[in-house]
């Protein structure tokens, strides 16, 4: 059963009804992607056990991988000290390529740090 | 030297001038916290090599750990396929307790997933 108290504890009001959700592979610990969740997508994620974002560009609910087959099965989830960010530790279904560009993780572009 | 092309490639316009920045421990792979960066804090992060957020609640630049001693030294950084999120892999200085509540990670509150 979903615990209603936990559903409503997230601080959606802080930033226009959305919080950031980090997706991390539960086995490799690799950070796979980041998306945003509004209250409804958060509730769907908890109910279904699959990460469901709110697509800011398309303005609709988006169960990640629903069409590609690479759904993100939530193994564990947590929020932070301010209740304004989410961390989902997941198993990726399908071929495991989370990014629509065909890579395991969306974080593929290195940024050079100037002080090095 | 900072590469200006990489500085400006981040899509700050998408969400009101800010992007989410994930902080991950480079050794343990633990996700430590999430904050937001505007263009100036991003530039400072690249220039100094220490994660510098834009504090939404205080509306000012915030080099994480500057007062506590737990600065986040960036070992590597990347952006994602949409250029609208950042991942910093860091070494934590000081006692390594990133969260102001005295824990290594800010993500300490479990959320129950209903389908389990």
């Amino acid at each position: 059963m979903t615990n209603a108290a936990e559903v409503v504890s997230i601080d959606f009001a802080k930033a226009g009804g959305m919080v950031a959700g980090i997706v991390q592979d539960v086995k490799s610990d690799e950070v796979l992607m980041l998306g945003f969740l509004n209250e409804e997508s958060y509730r769907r994620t908890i109910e279904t056990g699959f990460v469901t974002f709110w697509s800011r560009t398309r303005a609709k609910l988006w169960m990640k991988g629903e069409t590609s087959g690479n759904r993100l099965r939530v193994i564990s989830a947590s929020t932070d000290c301010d209740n304004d960010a989410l961390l989902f530790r997941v198993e990726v279904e399908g071929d495991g390529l989370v990014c629509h560009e065909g890579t395991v993780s969306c974080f593929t572009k290195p940024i050079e740090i100037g002080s090095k």
Side-chain angles (χ1 to χ4, degrees), chain A:
Chain A
M1 277 294 289
T2 300
N3 182 329
E6 285 165 352
V7 172
V8 297
S9 70
I10 304 301
D11 187 358
F12 289 101
K14 187 171 183 178
M18 286 188 299
V19 298
I22 304 163
V23 177
Q24 183 179 32
D25 188 288
V26 73
K27 292 203 186 97
S28 71
D29 286 331
E30 188 171 11
V31 173
L32 302 175
M33 65 176 296
L34 180 138
F36 284 83
L37 294 88
N38 64 4
E39 197 159 359
E40 186 180 357
S41 68
Y42 175 63
R43 197 174 289 121
R44 295 269 190 114
T45 299
I46 289 179
E47 286 169 2
T48 63
F50 291 96
V51 178
T52 303
F53 293 112
W54 175 255
S55 169
R56 297 180 295 174
T57 47
R58 291 174 289 159
K60 67 174 192 178
L61 286 173
W62 165 43
M63 182 185 281
K64 170 69 186 168
E66 198 166 26
T67 51
S68 70
N70 299 312
R71 293 191 304 178
L72 307 172
R73 183 188 299 276
V74 182
I75 305 303
S76 67
S78 56
T79 187
D80 68 352
C81 47
D82 295 331
N83 292 8
D84 65 358
L86 300 167
L87 174 62
F88 298 109
R89 289 176 56 79
V90 307
E91 277 180 0
V92 185
E93 295 189 332
D95 61 12
L97 304 175
V98 169
C99 187
H100 71 282
E101 295 190 346
T103 52
V104 170
S105 167
C106 290
F107 289 95
T108 55
K109 302 176 189 172
I111 296 167
E112 196 175 342
I113 300 299
S115 65
K116 283 180 160 178

